[in-house]
Amino acid sequence: MEGIRVLLPKASLAILFSAALVATPAFATTTTHKSATSRKASSATHTSTTFAHSRGAHRPKAKSHKLHGQQAIEPSRVMEIQQALIREHYLTGEANGNWDATTQAAMQKFQSDQGWQTRLIPDSRALKKLGLGPDYSGAINAEGASFTPPAPASTIPPSQAAGFAAAAGVNK
C-alpha cells in the first residue's frame, strides 16, 4: 500500500505533463498575411502558425544587400583605357574619362578580336594586352633589381662547376 501512495503522485504528474504537450497545439493561432505587389494585380498569401505564448518573440531581420567589389571605373582609369584603345585604333577621337557606350563598344570589339569573352567591364587580360597591367615599379624589391641575363658559364670557378656537375650526376 505504501508503494502505491508514492507512485500515485508521480503518475499524476506524468499524466498532467502529457496532457500539456498534447494540448499545446490547440492554443496555436493561425494568421494570414496578404502582400500586394505594385507590378501585379494578384496578391500572394502567406499563412503562418504561431503559439500564443511566443507572440513577443523576435523575428530575424532581413539582411540588407551589400555591394561587393568595384562598382565603377575611376575617370582617370577610363582615360588610360580610352588612350590605349585610341592607340590600338579601336576608338577615335579624344579620351574624355567617361565610360560611355562608344568606349564600351570599343572594348568589346578589342576583346572579341582577341578571341576573349566580350564583357562591358574590361578583364585583366585585356588591360594587360593594352599595356595597362599592374605597375610593379613601387614594389619593395623593384629598386635596384637586376634584370640582366646570368653570367656565362665560363666565368664560374672550376671547383664550383665540378660541384654542380657532381650534384647533378654528370661526368661520373
Side-chain angles (χ1 to χ4, degrees):
M1 195 75 169
E2 184 82 24
I4 295 175
R5 286 185 193 160
V6 172
L7 289 178
L8 191 59
K10 289 183 179 180
S12 62
L13 277 175
I15 291 172
L16 183 63
F17 183 68
S18 299
L21 287 176
V22 172
T24 302
F27 293 109
T29 59
T30 303
T31 57
T32 303
H33 302 282
K34 290 187 178 185
S35 61
T37 59
S38 59
R39 292 184 187 161
K40 295 181 182 178
S42 66
S43 64
T45 303
H46 174 71
T47 303
S48 65
T49 302
T50 59
F51 293 104
H53 66 278
S54 65
R55 287 189 183 204
H58 296 285
R59 292 183 182 162
K61 292 183 180 179
K63 293 183 179 179
S64 62
H65 180 69
K66 185 175 182 182
L67 299 175
H68 297 283
Q70 182 178 354
Q71 302 303 312
I73 303 174
E74 294 289 326
S76 60
R77 186 64 167 166
V78 173
M79 292 270 292
E80 293 174 355
I81 294 170
Q82 288 173 332
Q83 290 167 352
L85 289 170
I86 291 168
R87 183 183 66 240
E88 297 294 323
H89 306 290
Y90 283 90
L91 189 63
T92 58
E94 292 187 23
N96 59 13
N98 294 325
W99 189 252
D100 53 13
T102 307
T103 306
Q104 290 176 12
M107 180 54 75
Q108 285 180 326
K109 175 78 171 121
F110 176 75
Q111 290 175 328
S112 175
D113 288 352
Q114 306 305 315
W116 300 329
Q117 179 179 359
T118 55
R119 299 180 178 174
L120 293 178
I121 301 295
D123 63 1
S124 61
R125 291 180 301 182
L127 294 174
K128 287 177 184 177
K129 185 81 174 186
L130 288 169
L132 302 173
D135 180 17
Y136 295 114
S137 63
I140 295 172
N141 59 353
E143 191 173 323
S146 173
F147 296 107
T148 59
S154 61
T155 61
I156 298 175
S159 61
Q160 190 176 5
F164 290 151
V170 181
N171 297 334
K172 285 189 173 184

